[in-house]
Amino acid sequence: LEITSFDYTNNRAAFRWGSVAGHTYTVYRSTNLVQGLGSPMTIVGATPPTNTYSDTGATAVRPYMYVVTVTNM
């Protein structure tokens, strides 16, 4: 899985990745990877050819790390 674009504007982080029919994608966000990823932010169904996710709770005050995992249904 490869993030193909990322943009941050007005407290919104948005990113895209290639999507495959029949897959489910789980998005995680962390501000401290030492503490782990925690609970998923959301689970997204496939929308080929591209999936997009927007994190409207992101602020410029801290760094965020995002991980997207895929499950083959």
Side-chain angles (χ1 to χ4, degrees), residues 36-54:
L37 294 173
S39 299
M41 292 187 67
T42 191
I43 297 174
V44 180
T47 57
T50 304
N51 270 57
T52 302
Y53 178 74
S54 294

Side-chain angles (χ1 to χ4, degrees), residues 19-45:
S19 180
V20 177
H23 289 77
T24 301
Y25 302 89
T26 305
V27 179
Y28 297 88
R29 177 181 80 179
S30 178
T31 56
N32 184 339
L33 290 178
V34 173
Q35 294 177 352
L37 294 173
S39 299
M41 292 187 67
T42 191
I43 297 174
V44 180

